[in-house]
Amino acid sequence: MLHLNLTRALTAGVLTLVASQALAHGDVAPQAVDTTGLPEIEGDWLTENPYRAEKVGEETWQRAIEIGASGYNQNCARCHGLEVVSGGLAPDLRFLEAEEYGDEWYVERFREGYTQNGITKMPAFGELLGQEAAWAIRTYIEARPDEGALDDFAEELKAMRDQMEGYIADASGADTEALKARLTEISAQIETASGAPVADSVAYRAANLIDGSAEAFKSASEVLTIGLSAAH
C-alpha cells in the first residue's frame, strides 16, 4: 500500500510540475502535508534527520519517503524538479549530503526560506508545515539516486516495464519471483547522490510493489515509466 500511494504521489507531481512550471521561484503557497503514520517530534527543531532507516526501521523509513514524496511534489517540485532533478532554476538537492551538516543547512532553509536582493527565492515552510513534514521531505530527497545511476540499467528496466504491462491484462504467465529478484539485484547497485545507504530508486519501488496481481504490475510499470522519464 505504501508504494501504491507513492505511485499516485509521483503521478500527481508530474501534473503539478507541468501546471506550475511558468511560475516564479518562491511564488508558492505552502500546501499542508499529511504526516499520519510518522513518529511525532516534540520540542525544538532537530538538526539531524530522525527518520533514517537505521533509527526508525525500514517500514517507517518507507512511510517517510511516501509522505515526503507527496510533500515535495506539492511544495518543492516546481522549482527543484520532478524526482529532485533540478532544471537549473534552483539547487539540485540530491547532492545535499545525508549527514548532520547537510541536515543543518536543509532545516535552516526549510524553516526560514531564502531571500536575495529583497526577492523571495524560497518561502519559509517551517512554521506552516512543521518538523514531521520537513524531515519526511528530507528523507525523500536524500534517497534519490545519483546522477546517471540508472543509465546502465535503463534499457533492462524499460524491457521489464514492457513485460509487466503485458501482465496487466493476463498475469497468469508472470514469473513474479524472478522479476522481484532481478529488480532487487538492480536496486542494490544503485547509489544515492547524497551518500545515504539505500536509494529509493524505481527498481527498489517496483520490486516492493509487484505481488503477482495485475494491479501491482500496473503500479510497478507506472513507477518505472515515471522514474525513467524523470531520469532523462
PDB file of all heavy atoms in Angstrom, residues 164-190:
ATOM      1  N   MET A 164       5.889  -6.183 -17.802  1.00  0.00           N
ATOM      2  CA  MET A 164       4.849  -6.063 -16.781  1.00  0.00           C
ATOM      3  C   MET A 164       3.560  -5.487 -17.351  1.00  0.00           C
ATOM      4  O   MET A 164       2.468  -5.860 -16.921  1.00  0.00           O
ATOM      5  CB  MET A 164       5.359  -5.225 -15.612  1.00  0.00           C
ATOM      6  CG  MET A 164       6.344  -5.981 -14.731  1.00  0.00           C
ATOM      7  SD  MET A 164       6.786  -5.092 -13.219  1.00  0.00           S
ATOM      8  CE  MET A 164       8.016  -3.967 -13.855  1.00  0.00           C
ATOM      9  N   GLU A 165       3.680  -4.585 -18.310  1.00  0.00           N
ATOM     10  CA  GLU A 165       2.482  -4.042 -18.945  1.00  0.00           C
ATOM     11  C   GLU A 165       1.692  -5.150 -19.637  1.00  0.00           C
ATOM     12  O   GLU A 165       0.465  -5.112 -19.694  1.00  0.00           O
ATOM     13  CB  GLU A 165       2.859  -2.949 -19.943  1.00  0.00           C
ATOM     14  CG  GLU A 165       3.289  -1.647 -19.263  1.00  0.00           C
ATOM     15  CD  GLU A 165       3.644  -0.562 -20.244  1.00  0.00           C
ATOM     16  OE1 GLU A 165       3.820  -0.881 -21.451  1.00  0.00           O
ATOM     17  OE2 GLU A 165       3.755   0.612 -19.820  1.00  0.00           O
ATOM     18  N   GLY A 166       2.411  -6.154 -20.148  1.00  0.00           N
ATOM     19  CA  GLY A 166       1.737  -7.286 -20.764  1.00  0.00           C
ATOM     20  C   GLY A 166       0.996  -8.146 -19.756  1.00  0.00           C
ATOM     21  O   GLY A 166       0.044  -8.859 -20.116  1.00  0.00           O
ATOM     22  N   TYR A 167       1.415  -8.074 -18.486  1.00  0.00           N
ATOM     23  CA  TYR A 167       0.775  -8.870 -17.445  1.00  0.00           C
ATOM     24  C   TYR A 167      -0.463  -8.187 -16.861  1.00  0.00           C
ATOM     25  O   TYR A 167      -1.170  -8.785 -16.051  1.00  0.00           O
ATOM     26  CB  TYR A 167       1.764  -9.155 -16.309  1.00  0.00           C
ATOM     27  CG  TYR A 167       2.934 -10.018 -16.706  1.00  0.00           C
ATOM     28  CD1 TYR A 167       4.195  -9.810 -16.159  1.00  0.00           C
ATOM     29  CD2 TYR A 167       2.783 -11.055 -17.621  1.00  0.00           C
ATOM     30  CE1 TYR A 167       5.271 -10.601 -16.516  1.00  0.00           C
ATOM     31  CE2 TYR A 167       3.854 -11.855 -17.991  1.00  0.00           C
ATOM     32  CZ  TYR A 167       5.102 -11.624 -17.431  1.00  0.00           C
ATOM     33  OH  TYR A 167       6.172 -12.408 -17.786  1.00  0.00           O
ATOM     34  N   ILE A 168      -0.697  -6.937 -17.245  1.00  0.00           N
ATOM     35  CA  ILE A 168      -1.857  -6.226 -16.700  1.00  0.00           C
ATOM     36  C   ILE A 168      -3.158  -6.899 -17.150  1.00  0.00           C
ATOM     37  O   ILE A 168      -4.108  -7.047 -16.376  1.00  0.00           O
ATOM     38  CB  ILE A 168      -1.831  -4.748 -17.132  1.00  0.00           C
ATOM     39  CG1 ILE A 168      -0.628  -4.050 -16.502  1.00  0.00           C
ATOM     40  CG2 ILE A 168      -3.133  -4.046 -16.749  1.00  0.00           C
ATOM     41  CD1 ILE A 168      -0.406  -2.634 -16.993  1.00  0.00           C
ATOM     42  N   ALA A 169      -3.181  -7.320 -18.413  1.00  0.00           N
ATOM     43  CA  ALA A 169      -4.372  -8.000 -18.936  1.00  0.00           C
ATOM     44  C   ALA A 169      -4.431  -9.463 -18.498  1.00  0.00           C
ATOM     45  O   ALA A 169      -5.508 -10.005 -18.240  1.00  0.00           O
ATOM     46  CB  ALA A 169      -4.408  -7.904 -20.463  1.00  0.00           C
ATOM     47  N   ASP A 170      -3.255 -10.096 -18.392  1.00  0.00           N
ATOM     48  CA  ASP A 170      -3.211 -11.512 -18.024  1.00  0.00           C
ATOM     49  C   ASP A 170      -1.891 -11.787 -17.310  1.00  0.00           C
ATOM     50  O   ASP A 170      -0.834 -11.832 -17.928  1.00  0.00           O
ATOM     51  CB  ASP A 170      -3.336 -12.401 -19.265  1.00  0.00           C
ATOM     52  CG  ASP A 170      -3.324 -13.888 -18.929  1.00  0.00           C
ATOM     53  OD1 ASP A 170      -3.384 -14.217 -17.725  1.00  0.00           O
ATOM     54  OD2 ASP A 170      -3.254 -14.703 -19.862  1.00  0.00           O
ATOM     55  N   ALA A 171      -1.966 -11.947 -15.989  1.00  0.00           N
ATOM     56  CA  ALA A 171      -0.763 -12.154 -15.186  1.00  0.00           C
ATOM     57  C   ALA A 171      -0.478 -13.625 -14.927  1.00  0.00           C
ATOM     58  O   ALA A 171       0.432 -13.964 -14.165  1.00  0.00           O
ATOM     59  CB  ALA A 171      -0.903 -11.420 -13.858  1.00  0.00           C
ATOM     60  N   SER A 172      -1.216 -14.499 -15.591  1.00  0.00           N
ATOM     61  CA  SER A 172      -1.085 -15.932 -15.292  1.00  0.00           C
ATOM     62  C   SER A 172       0.291 -16.487 -15.640  1.00  0.00           C
ATOM     63  O   SER A 172       0.758 -17.441 -15.019  1.00  0.00           O
ATOM     64  CB  SER A 172      -2.169 -16.725 -16.035  1.00  0.00           C
ATOM     65  OG  SER A 172      -2.039 -16.548 -17.438  1.00  0.00           O
ATOM     66  N   GLY A 173       0.958 -15.901 -16.635  1.00  0.00           N
ATOM     67  CA  GLY A 173       2.266 -16.422 -17.039  1.00  0.00           C
ATOM     68  C   GLY A 173       3.439 -15.689 -16.428  1.00  0.00           C
ATOM     69  O   GLY A 173       4.597 -15.947 -16.783  1.00  0.00           O
ATOM     70  N   ALA A 174       3.170 -14.803 -15.474  1.00  0.00           N
ATOM     71  CA  ALA A 174       4.233 -13.977 -14.897  1.00  0.00           C
ATOM     72  C   ALA A 174       5.085 -14.768 -13.916  1.00  0.00           C
ATOM     73  O   ALA A 174       4.565 -15.511 -13.084  1.00  0.00           O
ATOM     74  CB  ALA A 174       3.621 -12.778 -14.192  1.00  0.00           C
ATOM     75  N   ASP A 175       6.408 -14.610 -14.033  1.00  0.00           N
ATOM     76  CA  ASP A 175       7.329 -15.182 -13.052  1.00  0.00           C
ATOM     77  C   ASP A 175       7.656 -14.073 -12.049  1.00  0.00           C
ATOM     78  O   ASP A 175       8.687 -13.403 -12.134  1.00  0.00           O
ATOM     79  CB  ASP A 175       8.602 -15.679 -13.740  1.00  0.00           C
ATOM     80  CG  ASP A 175       9.486 -16.506 -12.806  1.00  0.00           C
ATOM     81  OD1 ASP A 175       9.301 -16.383 -11.576  1.00  0.00           O
ATOM     82  OD2 ASP A 175      10.352 -17.242 -13.297  1.00  0.00           O
ATOM     83  N   THR A 176       6.750 -13.897 -11.108  1.00  0.00           N
ATOM     84  CA  THR A 176       6.833 -12.781 -10.180  1.00  0.00           C
ATOM     85  C   THR A 176       8.118 -12.806  -9.365  1.00  0.00           C
ATOM     86  O   THR A 176       8.781 -11.776  -9.184  1.00  0.00           O
ATOM     87  CB  THR A 176       5.624 -12.780  -9.227  1.00  0.00           C
ATOM     88  OG1 THR A 176       4.421 -12.713 -10.009  1.00  0.00           O
ATOM     89  CG2 THR A 176       5.673 -11.607  -8.267  1.00  0.00           C
ATOM     90  N   GLU A 177       8.489 -13.957  -8.866  1.00  0.00           N
ATOM     91  CA  GLU A 177       9.681 -14.050  -8.018  1.00  0.00           C
ATOM     92  C   GLU A 177      10.945 -13.706  -8.780  1.00  0.00           C
ATOM     93  O   GLU A 177      11.849 -13.062  -8.242  1.00  0.00           O
ATOM     94  CB  GLU A 177       9.774 -15.448  -7.399  1.00  0.00           C
ATOM     95  CG  GLU A 177       8.681 -15.750  -6.389  1.00  0.00           C
ATOM     96  CD  GLU A 177       8.596 -14.679  -5.302  1.00  0.00           C
ATOM     97  OE1 GLU A 177       9.653 -14.310  -4.753  1.00  0.00           O
ATOM     98  OE2 GLU A 177       7.480 -14.220  -5.018  1.00  0.00           O
ATOM     99  N   ALA A 178      11.028 -14.119 -10.037  1.00  0.00           N
ATOM    100  CA  ALA A 178      12.206 -13.799 -10.841  1.00  0.00           C
ATOM    101  C   ALA A 178      12.293 -12.298 -11.105  1.00  0.00           C
ATOM    102  O   ALA A 178      13.383 -11.702 -11.046  1.00  0.00           O
ATOM    103  CB  ALA A 178      12.170 -14.560 -12.166  1.00  0.00           C
ATOM    104  N   LEU A 179      11.137 -11.676 -11.376  1.00  0.00           N
ATOM    105  CA  LEU A 179      11.119 -10.233 -11.594  1.00  0.00           C
ATOM    106  C   LEU A 179      11.536  -9.485 -10.332  1.00  0.00           C
ATOM    107  O   LEU A 179      12.356  -8.558 -10.381  1.00  0.00           O
ATOM    108  CB  LEU A 179       9.715  -9.789 -12.017  1.00  0.00           C
ATOM    109  CG  LEU A 179       9.340  -9.987 -13.483  1.00  0.00           C
ATOM    110  CD1 LEU A 179       7.855  -9.724 -13.681  1.00  0.00           C
ATOM    111  CD2 LEU A 179      10.153  -9.059 -14.377  1.00  0.00           C
ATOM    112  N   LYS A 180      10.985  -9.878  -9.184  1.00  0.00           N
ATOM    113  CA  LYS A 180      11.329  -9.235  -7.930  1.00  0.00           C
ATOM    114  C   LYS A 180      12.819  -9.397  -7.620  1.00  0.00           C
ATOM    115  O   LYS A 180      13.477  -8.457  -7.170  1.00  0.00           O
ATOM    116  CB  LYS A 180      10.499  -9.821  -6.782  1.00  0.00           C
ATOM    117  CG  LYS A 180       9.046  -9.402  -6.771  1.00  0.00           C
ATOM    118  CD  LYS A 180       8.288 -10.056  -5.628  1.00  0.00           C
ATOM    119  CE  LYS A 180       8.752  -9.578  -4.269  1.00  0.00           C
ATOM    120  NZ  LYS A 180       8.320  -8.196  -3.990  1.00  0.00           N
ATOM    121  N   ALA A 181      13.326 -10.604  -7.858  1.00  0.00           N
ATOM    122  CA  ALA A 181      14.727 -10.874  -7.560  1.00  0.00           C
ATOM    123  C   ALA A 181      15.654 -10.012  -8.415  1.00  0.00           C
ATOM    124  O   ALA A 181      16.634  -9.443  -7.911  1.00  0.00           O
ATOM    125  CB  ALA A 181      15.036 -12.352  -7.771  1.00  0.00           C
ATOM    126  N   ARG A 182      15.348  -9.895  -9.691  1.00  0.00           N
ATOM    127  CA  ARG A 182      16.205  -9.097 -10.564  1.00  0.00           C
ATOM    128  C   ARG A 182      16.102  -7.610 -10.231  1.00  0.00           C
ATOM    129  O   ARG A 182      17.123  -6.907 -10.198  1.00  0.00           O
ATOM    130  CB  ARG A 182      15.841  -9.330 -12.037  1.00  0.00           C
ATOM    131  CG  ARG A 182      16.692  -8.535 -13.012  1.00  0.00           C
ATOM    132  CD  ARG A 182      18.171  -8.776 -12.788  1.00  0.00           C
ATOM    133  NE  ARG A 182      19.006  -7.909 -13.611  1.00  0.00           N
ATOM    134  CZ  ARG A 182      20.249  -7.529 -13.287  1.00  0.00           C
ATOM    135  NH1 ARG A 182      20.805  -7.932 -12.140  1.00  0.00           N
ATOM    136  NH2 ARG A 182      20.938  -6.748 -14.080  1.00  0.00           N
ATOM    137  N   LEU A 183      14.911  -7.123  -9.952  1.00  0.00           N
ATOM    138  CA  LEU A 183      14.747  -5.722  -9.568  1.00  0.00           C
ATOM    139  C   LEU A 183      15.490  -5.431  -8.267  1.00  0.00           C
ATOM    140  O   LEU A 183      16.091  -4.360  -8.111  1.00  0.00           O
ATOM    141  CB  LEU A 183      13.264  -5.385  -9.407  1.00  0.00           C
ATOM    142  CG  LEU A 183      12.478  -5.243 -10.708  1.00  0.00           C
ATOM    143  CD1 LEU A 183      10.976  -5.255 -10.427  1.00  0.00           C
ATOM    144  CD2 LEU A 183      12.861  -3.957 -11.444  1.00  0.00           C
ATOM    145  N   THR A 184      15.476  -6.374  -7.348  1.00  0.00           N
ATOM    146  CA  THR A 184      16.191  -6.208  -6.082  1.00  0.00           C
ATOM    147  C   THR A 184      17.696  -6.167  -6.322  1.00  0.00           C
ATOM    148  O   THR A 184      18.422  -5.370  -5.705  1.00  0.00           O
ATOM    149  CB  THR A 184      15.837  -7.339  -5.109  1.00  0.00           C
ATOM    150  OG1 THR A 184      14.419  -7.307  -4.846  1.00  0.00           O
ATOM    151  CG2 THR A 184      16.583  -7.188  -3.802  1.00  0.00           C
ATOM    152  N   GLU A 185      18.184  -7.018  -7.219  1.00  0.00           N
ATOM    153  CA  GLU A 185      19.611  -7.018  -7.564  1.00  0.00           C
ATOM    154  C   GLU A 185      20.028  -5.670  -8.155  1.00  0.00           C
ATOM    155  O   GLU A 185      21.075  -5.121  -7.811  1.00  0.00           O
ATOM    156  CB  GLU A 185      19.914  -8.131  -8.566  1.00  0.00           C
ATOM    157  CG  GLU A 185      19.863  -9.535  -7.998  1.00  0.00           C
ATOM    158  CD  GLU A 185      20.067 -10.591  -9.070  1.00  0.00           C
ATOM    159  OE1 GLU A 185      20.184 -10.216 -10.268  1.00  0.00           O
ATOM    160  OE2 GLU A 185      20.105 -11.786  -8.727  1.00  0.00           O
ATOM    161  N   ILE A 186      19.189  -5.157  -9.050  1.00  0.00           N
ATOM    162  CA  ILE A 186      19.493  -3.865  -9.667  1.00  0.00           C
ATOM    163  C   ILE A 186      19.477  -2.760  -8.618  1.00  0.00           C
ATOM    164  O   ILE A 186      20.378  -1.910  -8.569  1.00  0.00           O
ATOM    165  CB  ILE A 186      18.483  -3.556 -10.789  1.00  0.00           C
ATOM    166  CG1 ILE A 186      18.684  -4.524 -11.965  1.00  0.00           C
ATOM    167  CG2 ILE A 186      18.624  -2.106 -11.264  1.00  0.00           C
ATOM    168  CD1 ILE A 186      17.624  -4.407 -13.043  1.00  0.00           C
ATOM    169  N   SER A 187      18.469  -2.767  -7.749  1.00  0.00           N
ATOM    170  CA  SER A 187      18.341  -1.701  -6.757  1.00  0.00           C
ATOM    171  C   SER A 187      19.535  -1.659  -5.816  1.00  0.00           C
ATOM    172  O   SER A 187      19.941  -0.578  -5.365  1.00  0.00           O
ATOM    173  CB  SER A 187      17.043  -1.864  -5.958  1.00  0.00           C
ATOM    174  OG  SER A 187      17.089  -2.998  -5.123  1.00  0.00           O
ATOM    175  N   ALA A 188      20.114  -2.813  -5.527  1.00  0.00           N
ATOM    176  CA  ALA A 188      21.265  -2.871  -4.627  1.00  0.00           C
ATOM    177  C   ALA A 188      22.508  -2.222  -5.235  1.00  0.00           C
ATOM    178  O   ALA A 188      23.447  -1.865  -4.518  1.00  0.00           O
ATOM    179  CB  ALA A 188      21.566  -4.317  -4.252  1.00  0.00           C
ATOM    180  N   GLN A 189      22.527  -2.068  -6.555  1.00  0.00           N
ATOM    181  CA  GLN A 189      23.679  -1.487  -7.239  1.00  0.00           C
ATOM    182  C   GLN A 189      23.523   0.009  -7.518  1.00  0.00           C
ATOM    183  O   GLN A 189      24.432   0.639  -8.058  1.00  0.00           O
ATOM    184  CB  GLN A 189      23.916  -2.223  -8.561  1.00  0.00           C
ATOM    185  CG  GLN A 189      24.207  -3.708  -8.387  1.00  0.00           C
ATOM    186  CD  GLN A 189      24.376  -4.405  -9.733  1.00  0.00           C
ATOM    187  OE1 GLN A 189      25.279  -4.113 -10.497  1.00  0.00           O
ATOM    188  NE2 GLN A 189      23.479  -5.330 -10.018  1.00  0.00           N
ATOM    189  N   ILE A 190      22.382   0.569  -7.180  1.00  0.00           N
ATOM    190  CA  ILE A 190      22.111   1.982  -7.457  1.00  0.00           C
ATOM    191  C   ILE A 190      22.449   2.815  -6.221  1.00  0.00           C
ATOM    192  O   ILE A 190      21.890   2.604  -5.151  1.00  0.00           O
ATOM    193  CB  ILE A 190      20.639   2.183  -7.868  1.00  0.00           C
ATOM    194  CG1 ILE A 190      20.367   1.433  -9.171  1.00  0.00           C
ATOM    195  CG2 ILE A 190      20.317   3.662  -8.028  1.00  0.00           C
ATOM    196  CD1 ILE A 190      18.933   1.451  -9.614  1.00  0.00           C
TER     197      ILE A 190
END
